[in-house]
Amino acid sequence: MDALVETMPGANTAPPVLLLQGTGGTNLEMLNFGRRLLPQSPLITIAGRQGVGAQRQYFRQTASSPADPQQILTEATWVAQQARSVCVQHRWDWERLVTVGYSNGAAMAAYAVQRGLLPGVGVFLHPLWVPVAHPHALTGRDLWFSAGERDPLVTPATVQRVADACAQLGAKTTIKVTAGTHNLTPGEVLAAREWLGIHAV
């Protein structure tokens, strides 16, 4: 298995979790984070293929420099293919997949969900806005978003824009805004865990 893809076992009866990290994050950090959110679930984390070390990400984007549409489509398709392959290999239930993304990983996750590449529920922590061409219906899908009032990179308005785009496709969205910055707050993580306890079934 490519070192970009790592897993942590869990109960095969629990929904598998796909974890997508922020810029410069590590697989170990995301696996530990996933275990806090859904203690019984098998975990999959897939690192981005752009950049290395502290600059590693799924696609190149800043608040002032938009993502290249072809690059993000290519990378989203690759992430989804890798995740599905892992689920098939371990006999984890792909259709019950829970996708959790932070920052660059949250933008990737939200994009992939809107493109119809990933099933199940989603948790998107501080996602940047990425336009989605040819989005798929998300009727009945449960999606949770979070933002920080003092986040210098991703404003609550940006997160609201992503959530609104998903809602227009039929998703049921929940947004948690904290008083924090771009870093996750303990209350934010607790809220995500509690929401997943209800919706990740």
Side-chain angles (χ1 to χ4, degrees):
M1 181 67 70
D2 193 307
L4 293 175
V5 182
E6 294 189 50
T7 64
M8 184 178 287
N12 279 11
T13 54
V17 182
L18 171 63
L19 300 149
L20 302 182
Q21 59 207 235
T23 301
T26 69
N27 285 351
L28 180 60
E29 288 172 347
M30 291 309 291
L31 289 171
N32 289 336
F33 182 58
R35 186 56 73 227
R36 289 167 62 193
L37 292 178
L38 286 166
Q40 302 302 317
S41 286
L43 308 177
I44 309 163
T45 187
I46 302 174
R49 299 191 292 183
Q50 307 300 315
V52 296
Q55 301 303 314
R56 181 179 294 281
Q57 52 190 181
Y58 300 96
F59 59 94
R60 290 183 292 276
Q61 180 193 29
T62 65
S64 59
S65 176
D68 175 71
Q70 186 56 55
Q71 182 185 70
I72 190 170
L73 176 59
T74 298
E75 295 307 302
T77 302
W78 175 78
V79 165
Q81 289 171 342
Q82 294 297 312
R84 184 165 193 151
S85 176
V86 169
C87 285
V88 169
Q89 176 185 348
H90 292 278
R91 298 185 179 179
W92 297 339
D93 191 344
W94 166 254
E95 294 301 327
R96 295 170 66 204
L97 185 75
V98 176
T99 301
V100 177
Y102 168 61
S103 191
N104 185 258
M108 168 59 76
Y111 176 92
V113 165
Q114 291 173 83
R115 281 294 303 228
L117 297 170
L118 295 173
V121 305
V123 167
F124 312 118
L125 308 150
H126 305 242
L128 276 166
W129 165 258
V130 176
V132 180
H134 313 298
H136 288 230
L138 299 177
T139 306
R141 297 276 292 274
D142 291 301
L143 307 177
W144 190 92
F145 298 80
S146 71
E149 289 181 349
R150 295 183 293 122
D151 188 337
L153 302 176
V154 184
T155 66
T158 296
V159 176
Q160 183 71 57
R161 186 180 181 191
V162 180
D164 287 347
C166 293
Q168 288 171 8
L169 297 171
K172 294 180 286 184
T173 60
T174 300
I175 302 176
K176 169 77 171 178
V177 179
T178 73
T181 62
H182 196 62
N183 294 328
L184 302 181
T185 67
E188 188 176 357
V189 175
L190 178 61
R193 176 173 172 160
E194 290 176 344
W195 184 88
L196 283 168
I198 297 169
H199 295 93
V201 296

